[in-house]
């Protein structure tokens, strides 16, 4: 009797496990793959042998269904089922991932969110920032439910930590995510030290993974505070420019993290789309103010839910008025221009002066557009935070 589609879905626990992790595990077991079209993959690739599985994806790239291939045997399916049971359905193993996060201000203290997240300075002996205008690295620790399989555990921890960092970087204005790219880092410090080294290491780049001095082990608990003082938590505004004053965190940060933790799967994906564009704006701002402005407004658009029959512009304005309302006429006018300016840039009819002019030359339009970008960023941050808190309150209610 042939293996049915329903049996494959049930034995692969498609509706119970994280589909990204299931996909990773299937690739480990089956090997290479080949796309049939933009919604289907066949495992393995036809050049390797006949198909064992055909995987179906949503328009957003999520694994959603699976068909048995002509070559799938009971033994192969049983092996997949057993690996899923041992790795994806087994009780979690406490694990910890350490990453580098950046701040516009130097960090001299310690902050903890329950038994899940920690912010703390780099150990003594790491190089100081080369100049005052640079960002300051700090260590971010994230506890997560790991797995016995090291590859699976690493990818899970990396994904979970990135999500928490993404929320931290929106909720706390002074925190800055590392730049993604070939060197995934900013300035210079120690990435790790091998056992037996007594001198301070002198790596060339801050890597987004930070290994402790006892390099080689996998940490499974958050670092204690020791003799470090607390990072101040206050709503006193000191701006987001880089300065010498110590890092402080906003009072709403803990509420935002609790809110993110309470979101359902759909709302969480929606929020992470918004935070992606928000952080992208910060990372491309030094290259193009026009691109940064477009990305900032797109981050809010990711959260807009336009009712049937309502125009996109009206829905966007209603969203901004609800989650980041203007407090005076000047702000209200700038609010109204957000979507219009983004559309002009996106459709090619406008480019900010700073993307055209000779750098450093005085220009009143450039200064005004810098104000527009600063305003859009502040509105976006407020809107994302208020959307997050309201969404969480709705799910609790």
């Amino acid at each position: 009797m042939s293996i049915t589609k329903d049996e494959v879905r049930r034995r692969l626990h498609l509706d119970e496990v994280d589909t990204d992790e299931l996909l990773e595990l299937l690739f480990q077991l089956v090997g290479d793959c080949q796309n049939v079209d933009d919604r289907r993959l066949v495992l393995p690739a036809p050049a390797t042998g006949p198909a064992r599985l055909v995987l179906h994806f949503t328009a957003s790239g999520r694994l959603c269904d699976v068909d048995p291939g002509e070559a799938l045997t009971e033994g192969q399916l049983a092996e997949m089922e057993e690996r899923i049971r041992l790795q994806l359905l087994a009780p979690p193993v406490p694990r910890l991932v350490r990453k580098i996060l950046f701040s516009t201000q130097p960090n001299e203290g310690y902050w903890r969110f329950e038994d899940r997240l920690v912010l703390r300075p780099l150990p003594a002996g790491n190089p100081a920032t080369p100049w005052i205008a640079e960002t300051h690295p700090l260590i971010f620790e994230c506890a997560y439910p790991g797995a016995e399989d090291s590859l699976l555990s690493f990818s899970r921890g990396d994904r979970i930590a990135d999500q928490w960092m993404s929320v931290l970087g929106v909720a706390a204005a002074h925190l800055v995510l590392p730049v993604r790219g070939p060197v995934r880092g900013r300035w210079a410090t120690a990435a790790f030290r091998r056992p037996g080294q007594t001198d301070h290491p002198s790596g060339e780049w801050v890597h987004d993974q930070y290994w402790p001095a006892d390099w080689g082990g996998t940490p499974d608990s958050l670092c204690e505070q020791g003799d470090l003082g607390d990072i101040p938590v206050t709503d006193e505004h000191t701006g987001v420019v880089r300065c010498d004053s110590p890092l402080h965190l906003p009072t709403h940060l803990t509420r935002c993290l609790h809110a993110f933790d309470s979101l359902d799967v759909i709302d969480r994906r929606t929020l992470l789309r918004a935070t992606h564009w928000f952080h992208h704006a910060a990372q491309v701002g030094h290259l193009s103010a026009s691109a940064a402005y477009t990305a900032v407004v797109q981050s809010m658009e990711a959260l807009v839910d336009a009712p049937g029959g309502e125009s996109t512009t009206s829905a966007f304005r209603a969203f901004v008025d609800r989650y980041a309302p203007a407090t005076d006429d000047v702000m209200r006018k700038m609010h109204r221009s957000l979507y219009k300016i983004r559309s002009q840039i996106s459709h090619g009819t406008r480019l900010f002066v700073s993307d055209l002019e000779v750098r450093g030359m005085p220009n009143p339009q450039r200064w005004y557009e810098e104000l527009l970008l600063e305003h859009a960023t502040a509105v976006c941050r407020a809107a994302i935070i208020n959307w997050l808190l309201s969404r969480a309150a709705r799910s609790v209610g």
Side-chain angles (χ1 to χ4, degrees):
M1 184 176 179
S2 61
I3 301 172
T4 66
K5 177 187 182 75
D6 289 342
E7 183 180 2
V8 171
R9 285 183 56 95
R10 176 179 57 81
R11 294 178 63 177
L12 295 185
H13 299 273
L14 187 62
D15 298 323
E16 303 173 51
V17 301
D18 183 286
T19 53
D20 289 334
E21 293 185 353
L22 176 59
L23 195 59
E24 181 180 351
L25 184 59
L26 292 176
F27 285 156
Q28 290 180 20
L29 288 170
V30 180
D32 59 355
C33 64
Q34 182 172 320
N35 61 302
V36 177
D37 50 41
D38 62 335
R39 298 289 183 88
R40 289 181 296 166
L41 285 177
V42 57
L43 279 74
T48 304
R52 300 183 203 173
L53 295 172
V54 179
L55 307 179
H56 299 260
F57 295 78
T58 66
S60 61
R62 307 290 297 187
L63 176 63
C64 64
D65 208 352
V66 58
D67 289 329
E70 61 185 40
L72 181 64
T73 67
E74 170 60 32
Q76 293 166 346
L77 182 58
E79 182 185 6
M80 296 176 192
E81 183 179 20
E82 179 66 6
R83 288 283 294 274
I84 291 169
R85 184 184 67 81
L86 292 175
Q87 296 185 23
L88 303 187
L89 298 175
V93 179
R95 287 286 184 265
L96 181 74
V97 59
R98 288 193 177 106
K99 289 191 169 231
I100 291 291
L101 190 59
F102 291 87
S103 169
T104 59
Q105 300 167 299
N107 176 37
E108 301 173 357
Y110 179 97
W111 179 84
R112 188 184 189 104
F113 173 64
E114 299 181 339
D115 289 327
R116 310 180 73 174
L117 309 176
V118 156
L119 298 177
R120 62 185 180 89
L122 268 65
N126 283 272
T129 50
W131 53 81
I132 192 172
E134 189 50 276
T135 47
H136 304 265
L138 56 116
I139 293 179
F140 166 73
E141 297 184 343
C142 175
Y144 69 96
E148 292 291 351
D149 180 79
S150 59
L151 289 177
L152 173 63
S153 195
F154 177 84
S155 62
R156 180 185 294 176
D158 199 48
R159 181 176 66 254
I160 292 174
D162 282 350
Q163 291 178 359
W164 283 112
M165 287 171 62
S166 185
V167 177
L168 280 168
V170 172
H174 293 297
L175 296 181
V176 181
L177 267 60
V179 175
R180 294 291 185 179
V183 175
R184 300 178 71 178
R186 286 291 177 90
W187 54 286
T189 189
F192 56 77
R193 151 169 54 189
R194 294 182 182 277
Q197 278 189 262
T198 57
D199 58 332
H200 293 300
S202 55
E204 292 299 319
W205 298 96
V206 164
H207 297 271
D208 65 351
Q209 294 288 339
Y210 185 88
W211 296 91
D214 56 342
W215 178 78
T218 301
D220 57 11
S221 61
L222 297 170
C223 283
E224 298 298 328
Q225 183 164 356
D227 57 0
L228 290 171
D230 290 321
I231 297 176
V233 177
T234 174
D235 283 333
E236 179 183 355
H237 182 69
T238 61
V240 296
V241 295
R242 296 169 174 84
C243 58
D244 266 337
S245 60
L247 171 67
H248 71 269
L249 301 171
T251 56
H252 62 246
L253 179 57
T254 297
R255 286 193 296 133
C256 287
L257 297 178
H258 279 299
F260 175 68
D261 199 34
S262 71
L263 294 181
D264 61 29
V265 173
I266 295 176
D267 280 345
R268 180 172 289 219
R269 289 176 185 167
T270 300
L271 177 73
L272 292 173
R273 284 201 304 272
T275 60
H276 165 84
W277 287 113
F278 182 86
H279 296 304
H280 180 71
Q283 294 173 354
V284 301
H286 69 289
L287 298 174
S288 168
S290 306
Y293 191 96
T294 301
V296 164
V297 177
Q298 281 180 316
S299 69
M300 288 185 280
E301 289 185 89
L303 303 177
V304 175
D305 184 15
E310 184 176 8
S311 71
T312 304
T313 304
S314 297
F316 179 84
R317 288 178 174 173
F319 173 87
V320 174
D321 289 342
R322 177 179 179 183
Y323 293 109
T327 57
D328 56 46
D329 289 341
V330 174
M331 185 181 293
R332 193 170 293 108
K333 180 180 178 180
M334 295 179 74
H335 273 35
R336 293 296 178 186
S337 68
L338 285 167
Y339 195 83
K340 177 183 177 181
I341 294 173
R342 197 280 297 163
S343 297
Q344 291 172 339
I345 296 172
S346 298
H347 297 153
T349 60
R350 178 171 183 167
L351 195 64
F352 277 10
V353 172
S354 60
D355 293 331
L356 295 169
E357 67 172 3
V358 176
R359 298 284 174 165
M361 295 297 291
N363 188 305
Q365 181 66 13
R366 173 172 62 85
W367 294 336
Y368 176 66
E369 288 172 345
E370 288 174 356
L371 180 63
L372 289 177
L373 178 56
E374 181 181 337
H375 168 261
T377 303
V379 170
C380 175
R381 189 188 302 277
I384 292 177
I385 290 172
N386 290 329
W387 181 92
L388 170 60
L389 295 176
S390 68
R391 215 68 169 186
R394 185 185 70 175
S395 64
V396 172

